[in-house]
Amino acid sequence: MNLWFVLATAGLITFATRLSFIAMSGRYRPPSWFVAILPYVPIAALTALIAPDLLLVAGQLSLGLDNPRFWAGLVAIAVAVWRRNILLTIGCGFAVLWGMQWLV
Amino acid sequence: MEGRRAAFWLGVRALLPMHLGVMPFGVIYGIVALQSGIPPLAAVLMSSIVFAGSAQFLIAQLVGVGAPALLMVGAAGLVNLRHALYSASVAPVLEHLPMRWKLLLSYFLTDEAYAAAIPHLLAEPRSPFAHWILLGAGFALWAGWQVATLIGVLLGAGLPNDWSLDFALPLTFIALVVPLLTDRRRVAVALVAAGSAVLFAGLPYKLGLFCAALGALLLAGLWPGRPAR
């Protein structure tokens, strides 16, 4: 019974967080500085989300050959700059990751 | 009608590559939830009720160690704070919609659905069908997440996990974010977000991620010159 309380409450809080600004839109005009930074939200949030995956190994900064995810990520960034092709980016990233896991 | 359907499928297609990473993640969630002592029905329903991968993992872990209920709820709330940023980001595009659409799209506003839809929403914020893109991405993620959870709960442990398929998520996010880096200010925002996310990675409940994103946004606001749209 306690578990169902946790699920219901956690679900409601998650939903309320996602609804927050969407529900307010149209009723309230946000200040202009707020509107001006909104286009940067995807860059800031999504980069912060994945950077630790690429740069940390067991909580420590690791940019050596023992961290294939860093090199695979670098190659994926280069491929994404070169061609705007999602599947090509994923494919090249996995090729580097699996190649290094196999070799190193 | 044609425009709606095309926009919906655009969202579905933008999300599909992420399933390579989401499906194993969902299967592992199902396994972890059972191992923590969560009954199968609750483990499966949590994927619909909470519908937030990292929060579900956290709850499963906390159930496993017998944490108090309020701690679990608070931890899940903190982990999901970043969704408020996504909410602020898509709010202007959804402003004109009736409340039932706002409620539905808020339910679907996950990391993945946001990442898949936002490049299209930024490119065409005035499109009358923009919200269908987010619906397509959100529904595609939801459906895959439910199937993956079910597989995890039904099959349990014993599935191979040495292909590092979870790496499909960062790779897809790279493919989505890099094209958004169109000027120096945007590159600086990305670099600061990455640097501070690493710096704050030790903070619990993904608060490091939230602080790093806020710090990078502060830089975006303070960067000299007018923001180029």
Side-chain angles (χ1 to χ4, degrees):
Chain A
M1 217 50 226
N2 205 9
L3 179 64
W4 293 105
F5 164 79
V6 169
L7 296 194
T9 319
L12 270 179
I13 290 178
T14 302
F15 179 66
T17 308
R18 290 170 177 167
L19 180 63
S20 54
F21 287 94
I22 293 175
M24 281 188 282
S25 67
R27 301 179 181 185
Y28 148 88
R29 280 186 68 86
S32 60
W33 62 265
F34 185 84
V35 175
I37 60 171
L38 285 183
Y40 301 91
V41 168
I43 298 168
L46 299 177
T47 307
L49 186 66
I50 61 168
D53 282 348
L54 302 179
L55 300 171
L56 300 179
V57 173
Q60 296 295 316
L61 186 66
S62 171
L63 308 179
L65 288 178
D66 58 335
N67 182 8
R69 287 178 182 231
F70 169 65
W71 297 101
L74 271 192
V75 169
I77 291 169
V79 172
V81 170
W82 175 53
R83 289 284 156 87
R84 298 193 170 179
N85 183 327
I86 292 178
L87 291 179
L88 185 71
T89 304
I90 297 173
C92 292
F94 268 119
V96 173
L97 180 75
W98 289 337
M100 285 185 69
Q101 283 175 341
W102 186 62
L103 287 173
V104 179
Chain B
M1 198 61 206
E2 192 52 47
R4 287 177 198 176
R5 191 175 303 169
F8 181 84
W9 285 107
L10 183 65
V12 171
R13 277 200 310 276
L15 192 111
L16 279 184
M18 297 187 197
H19 274 326
L20 207 58
V22 167
M23 297 295 279
F25 190 52
V27 171
I28 297 166
Y29 157 72
I31 296 169
V32 169
L34 288 193
Q35 284 170 348
S36 311
I38 295 177
L41 181 66
V44 171
L45 287 182
M46 184 169 8
S47 284
S48 291
I49 297 172
V50 181
F51 186 39
S54 33
Q56 290 178 228
F57 262 95
L58 193 65
I59 291 174
Q61 282 165 356
L62 292 174
V63 167
V65 299
L70 282 180
L71 176 76
M72 292 192 240
V73 171
L78 288 179
V79 166
N80 286 331
L81 262 184
R82 66 186 185 282
H83 293 127
L85 292 174
Y86 306 155
S87 184
S89 171
V90 299
V93 182
L94 310 182
E95 196 180 57
H96 64 285
L97 295 174
M99 192 43 104
R100 62 177 190 280
W101 266 100
K102 293 181 177 177
L103 294 172
L104 179 67
L105 291 177
S106 297
Y107 173 70
F108 282 131
L109 192 63
T110 48
D111 294 317
E112 291 82 1
Y114 173 74
I118 194 67
H120 300 290
L121 302 186
L122 289 178
E124 285 185 79
R126 299 273 168 265
S127 155
F129 305 116
H131 51 293
W132 286 88
I133 301 174
L134 186 56
L135 182 69
F139 178 75
L141 179 80
W142 182 86
W145 185 243
Q146 307 310 319
V147 170
T149 305
L150 208 57
I151 293 173
V153 167
L154 291 179
L155 296 187
L159 287 163
N161 188 36
D162 46 6
W163 283 68
S164 310
L165 286 177
D166 62 299
F167 197 53
L169 281 181
L171 287 176
T172 315
F173 284 24
I174 285 172
L176 292 167
V177 170
V178 166
L180 300 178
L181 304 177
T182 48
D183 59 33
R184 284 159 90 181
R185 184 200 304 244
R186 287 174 164 80
V187 173
V189 167
L191 290 176
V192 168
S196 32
V198 166
L199 207 61
F200 298 141
L203 294 180
Y205 309 134
K206 293 212 174 207
L207 283 177
L209 188 175
F210 186 65
C211 295
L214 281 189
L217 288 174
L218 190 69
L219 172 88
L222 296 177
W223 190 268
R226 294 195 60 76
R229 270 274 175 170

